[in-house]
Amino acid sequence: MKILAVGMNYAEHNKELDGTLYKPEEPVLFMKPDSALLKDSKPFFIPDFTQRCEYETELVVRICRLGKNIAERFAHRYYDAVTVGIDFTARDVQQRLRAEGKPWELSKAFDNSAVIGDFVPVDELPAVQNLNFHLDIDGNTVQRGYTGDMLYTIDQIIAYASRFFTLKIGDLIFTGTPVGVGPVAIDQHLDGYLEGRKVLSFNVK
């Protein structure tokens, strides 16, 4: 399986990162290897190569059919469940690499940087572009998102991504993070909620 992720898909988060408010001309995609996946409530260990490891809470989509060059109007047929995930980012490393004009996979694709919760079938939820999700750290809500605020919808992302990559059963798509990212610290506990349902829970070590 592969992990596709979307960058800069919420306008307020884009403003948060670099002080501008804009929509990319097309979805910004990057990939994480399967070694980035962390699930089943296993703890996340902060890597030793970063001094500022930040959470980015996202809706994660699970692909359920093989697809290539998928038309947007048919994209909803290619995923069956969603959950809340964390795209952990070594922010200091990312800022350095971006300033040097280098790719920033080292800051995004490291081991255990793609945390996922328990998947919820889409037929048990409201429309996927009408979902609320949030992250709590030690019982305090630190980030909230609403999928209706996405610059590119889930179906648009799938249609676009499938032009370049064959989507396979079990592939995951991290759909972007809203405003409110921040650092994590050792001994914190993170809980992720989808429409009020806790689907993600793990400790930081």
Side-chain angles (χ1 to χ4, degrees), residues 1-165:
M1 57 82 67
K2 57 183 169 292
I3 303 168
L4 288 171
V6 184
M8 299 184 289
N9 202 29
Y10 287 82
E12 289 299 322
H13 172 61
N14 299 345
K15 184 178 180 180
E16 172 183 50
L17 282 188
D18 60 18
T20 59
L21 187 63
Y22 67 104
K23 178 179 180 178
E25 293 183 1
E26 54 193 12
V28 177
L29 299 182
F30 61 96
M31 299 183 73
K32 292 174 179 263
D34 57 2
S35 57
L37 191 64
L38 184 67
K39 57 183 181 178
D40 301 326
S41 298
K42 293 179 181 177
F44 171 75
F45 290 84
I46 297 177
D48 60 6
F49 54 77
T50 178
Q51 300 302 309
R52 187 175 178 86
C53 189
E54 294 193 346
Y55 59 83
E56 296 190 4
T57 314
E58 311 196 8
L59 188 82
V60 181
V61 176
R62 184 177 69 192
I63 299 298
C64 64
R65 294 178 64 180
L66 183 71
K68 174 70 175 175
N69 290 320
I70 301 164
E72 182 182 334
R73 66 184 183 277
F74 297 133
H76 65 278
R77 301 178 182 178
Y78 288 82
Y79 54 93
D80 63 350
V82 297
T83 190
V84 173
I86 305 293
D87 166 22
F88 275 116
T89 303
R91 189 70 68 198
D92 50 349
V93 177
Q94 184 189 42
Q95 290 173 342
R96 174 176 59 81
L97 292 172
R98 290 180 67 176
E100 295 172 355
K102 296 177 180 178
W104 30 270
E105 275 80 4
L106 293 179
S107 69
K108 285 278 195 178
F110 56 87
D111 288 352
N112 299 328
S113 61
V115 187
I116 59 169
D118 299 325
F119 280 94
V120 180
V122 292
D123 57 11
E124 295 182 9
L125 294 165
V128 292
Q129 295 302 150
N130 190 31
L131 295 176
N132 293 281
F133 58 96
H134 70 273
L135 176 70
D136 286 1
I137 296 182
D138 294 334
N140 299 310
T141 299
V142 295
Q143 191 176 20
R144 292 185 179 274
Y146 171 60
T147 58
D149 292 332
M150 288 181 180
L151 297 176
Y152 290 99
T153 67
I154 292 167
D155 290 356
Q156 289 172 333
I157 292 165
I158 287 174
Y160 180 79
S162 68
R163 292 172 53 195
F164 305 93
F165 311 107

